[in-house]
Every structure is written in C-alpha cells, then in structure tokens.
Amino acid sequence: MSEGPVPEAVPEPVPGSVPEPPGPAEPAPLGVDRTPTGVPEVDALLDRLADADHLETSGHLEVYEDVHRGLRDTLTALDRRPGPPAPGPRPPSAA
C-alpha cells in the first residue's frame, strides 16, 4: 500500500489570541492649505473649516453649514453696499 502525503495539522485557534479588528480612525487634519483672501470676515470663516479636522464625521455638517451661511451672508452684504449712483436720463439736448 502506498501512503500519500500526510496533511499538515492546522492549529486550533486559542480563545483570546485573535487580535481585535481596528476601530474607526481618529480624526486627523486633512492638511489642506487655506490661502488668506485679505477679507477678514471671509478669512475667519475659512479658518473655521479647521474645526472639522478635530471632529468625528458626524460633526462636519454643522461646521460646513455654519461656514456656508457666513459666506452667503458676506456675499449678500456686498449686494447691499451702496455703489456709485446709476446714470440718470440724458437730457434731450444731448441726443
């Protein structure tokens, strides 16, 4: 009788020796550079985005909405600033 290869013994797992799966990663800054605009209100809002670097993902929405609201308000305020007066009607003699 010919004997075939002997199967290798598979070790039985020992309870407690299986490593725990890694948990969620800690929040970490993305390292995105923010270039100052020179407009203090806008720069402060862009700096606020760095707050999201230290929050869990579930907290990002609040920061993003706050920054979006501030930027929208800043842009809306630009439309409200008085500019030069609109040209008036031309007198008939200028035609």
Side-chain angles (χ1 to χ4, degrees):
M1 241 187 192
S2 142
E3 292 185 25
V6 177
E8 292 184 32
V10 178
E12 293 285 323
V14 178
S17 69
V18 177
E20 291 291 322
E26 293 293 319
L30 295 175
V32 177
D33 291 328
R34 289 179 295 277
T35 305
T37 65
V39 179
E41 298 87 10
V42 173
D43 291 340
L45 290 164
L46 294 178
D47 288 342
R48 168 103 166 89
L49 288 173
D51 292 346
D53 286 343
H54 309 288
L55 298 172
E56 296 290 330
T57 306
S58 61
H60 290 188
L61 183 61
E62 181 181 345
V63 173
Y64 296 154
E65 285 180 342
D66 183 45
V67 171
H68 180 259
R69 187 178 314 108
L71 291 172
R72 185 183 59 228
D73 292 347
T74 300
L75 287 172
T76 301
L78 291 174
D79 290 339
R80 291 188 197 130
R81 290 186 185 164
R90 296 178 60 172
S93 61

